[in-house]
Amino acid sequence: MPLYYPMGFDSGYLLLVVVSLVLGFATQHYIDSTYKRWSRVPVPDGRTGAFIARSMLEADGVGGVGIEVVPGELTDHFDPRDNSLHLSQANLSGASVASAAVACHEAGHAVQYDKGYVPGRIRTALVPVVNLASNVWMIVLIVGISMSFAGLVDLAIILFAASVLFQLVTLPVEFDASRRALAYLRTAGFDGEVVAGARKVLTAAALTYVAAALVSCLQLLYLLGVSNRRD
């Protein structure tokens, strides 16, 4: 949850920094501790995350999705460009409740892509815009301030707002992928402990997105307030 402040220091910015640090630390600690706890709880039948994800895709009638390993921990994602689940080694070959939860969540994204889930399509369409906006908005803002050009400052805020919109659109996409994952685990006959543990893992992961979106919204409001005071 990066913070950018080119306009001088004040108490509002200090509060924003404190909120960002607290939320960032709390959510990261929660996801790390929850994931580690449930990574030590095995799935009763020993099925790996990759196996369960593949079974979920087949149950939803989704074919042609690859499953590949990606370096790191909790780096798992679905990439529509190659239509593949990219799972960390622990979640690809692991047979824990955590690996099942994460693998099925990413499979949920693949199902969204296959079924044309509207918020997912909107999010994908926003990616090139957000990539551009996130790279240039700060430069535009600094130039606008240094030249006292209100138009550039406003443009910078609009560009940053595009990034905030992207984060907000991401929330229903992530929630829906988790909903699909939990629904599959229930219908596939996994016991209550597996489903409950998976829910805790996915809830912890979702909170990181919620916290990031909240901080970005607060920062946008702060920038709007500063801009209004400058007018």
Side-chain angles (χ1 to χ4, degrees):
M1 289 177 285
L3 291 174
Y4 304 95
Y5 183 69
M7 300 182 182
F9 182 85
D10 64 20
S11 58
Y13 180 65
L14 176 61
L15 178 61
L16 187 57
V17 169
V18 171
V19 170
S20 176
L21 290 175
V22 170
L23 284 176
F25 175 80
T27 54
Q28 191 59 52
H29 174 74
Y30 186 48
I31 181 60
D32 287 344
S33 61
T34 303
Y35 177 79
K36 288 177 181 177
R37 174 189 174 188
W38 290 100
S39 65
R40 295 191 292 267
V41 180
V43 174
D45 57 9
R47 284 181 280 180
T48 65
F51 184 93
I52 298 171
R54 178 65 69 192
S55 299
M56 177 177 167
L57 292 171
E58 291 175 354
D60 280 288
V62 179
V65 178
I67 300 179
E68 302 183 13
V69 66
V70 64
E73 183 180 81
L74 291 177
T75 50
D76 313 79
H77 62 280
F78 168 71
D79 192 336
R81 293 172 298 181
D82 61 4
N83 197 32
S84 294
L85 309 185
H86 296 263
L87 303 178
S88 61
Q89 188 64 58
N91 294 325
L92 185 143
S93 59
S96 68
V97 172
S99 63
V102 173
C104 284
H105 175 86
E106 300 309 330
H109 285 308
V111 175
Q112 291 173 339
Y113 181 69
D114 182 80
K115 307 299 183 186
Y117 178 64
V118 173
R121 295 174 66 179
I122 294 173
R123 182 182 184 277
T124 300
L126 287 173
V127 168
V129 177
V130 172
N131 286 341
L132 173 64
S134 62
N135 289 325
V136 304
W137 82 269
M138 174 57 69
I139 297 173
V140 174
L141 183 62
I142 293 174
V143 172
I145 293 171
S146 63
M147 297 178 62
S148 298
F149 190 177
L152 284 180
V153 174
D154 292 341
L155 176 59
I157 293 175
I158 291 171
L159 291 172
F160 181 71
S163 298
V164 176
L165 176 62
F166 180 79
Q167 289 182 303
L168 294 176
V169 172
T170 293
L171 295 180
V173 176
E174 294 299 326
F175 296 158
D176 181 75
S178 292
R179 180 191 64 78
R180 294 174 188 268
L182 293 172
Y184 172 73
L185 292 173
R186 284 192 297 267
T187 58
F190 287 93
D191 63 33
E193 182 184 33
V194 171
V195 176
R199 181 180 292 107
K200 291 179 180 179
V201 171
L202 296 177
T203 298
L207 287 176
T208 63
Y209 290 98
V210 173
L214 176 59
V215 168
S216 292
C217 287
L218 291 174
Q219 185 177 355
L220 177 59
L221 291 174
Y222 174 80
L223 291 174
L224 289 170
V226 172
S227 178
N228 288 335
R229 291 198 299 270
R230 290 173 60 87
D231 292 339

